[in-house]
Amino acid sequence: MKFEEWLETVPERVKRDPVWSFFAYRRALYLFDLAWEDVQNWPNGPGIRALADQLLRSVGSISANIEEGWGRGFGADRNRFLRIALGSAREAKGWYVRARHLFSTQILEERLALLDSIIALLIT
């Protein structure tokens, strides 16, 4: 699903929240939905399930920490949570690389590029 199509599926209540104005947040939520779909058809097995869990946890942590930071207002507390979100984005990138054998080259490249864009937004 393309980002523009995904936007249509997001509840209006979410779009009215102030954190929605932060583009990195929108991208992070989008990535979580993509990651969720990515792991649904993986083969079953203890190693694979553990890999899927780690991938989803790290991807989910990006938007969760942005939400937490936004809920803290401005200043040092918000910045601390944005740094944590940045760490989670870098971790998610690593999990995608570790799981690369379960993805097509195209999907892997798209996910890594999306993570690069999230990382760049969080750094600035």
Side-chain angles (χ1 to χ4, degrees):
M1 175 184 315
K2 299 296 179 204
F3 184 70
E4 293 74 23
E5 296 169 327
W6 173 83
L7 284 172
E8 306 270 330
T9 71
V10 178
E12 287 303 315
R13 184 175 299 276
V14 173
K15 292 178 181 178
R16 288 192 301 265
D17 193 289
V19 71
W20 187 255
S21 67
F22 188 41
F23 190 57
Y25 177 67
R26 285 179 266 159
R27 303 287 284 185
L29 283 179
Y30 172 57
L31 175 62
F32 184 84
D33 280 0
L34 293 175
W36 179 266
E37 289 300 318
D38 287 342
V39 303
Q40 293 308 305
N41 295 319
W42 284 5
N44 234 352
I48 303 274
R49 284 294 101 197
L51 183 58
D53 289 346
Q54 280 298 132
L55 178 72
L56 289 174
R57 277 193 202 102
S58 62
V59 168
S61 181
I62 303 167
S63 56
N65 278 291
I66 293 170
E67 292 159 350
E68 180 81 12
W70 234 257
R72 304 276 178 145
F74 292 95
D77 226 15
R78 176 184 286 187
N79 291 339
R80 182 170 64 89
F81 280 97
L82 293 181
R83 283 192 308 275
I84 294 168
L86 174 61
S88 294
R90 292 188 188 282
E91 179 187 355
K93 195 171 176 181
W95 285 112
Y96 266 104
V97 170
R98 288 177 197 93
R100 70 188 176 278
H101 306 291
L102 297 163
F103 295 107
S104 69
T105 304
Q106 178 185 348
I107 293 293
L108 179 62
E109 183 54 38
E110 288 173 6
R111 300 306 181 262
L112 294 177
L114 181 53
L115 278 158
D116 283 343
S117 73
I118 292 167
I119 289 167
L121 290 165
L122 289 169
I123 288 173
T124 57

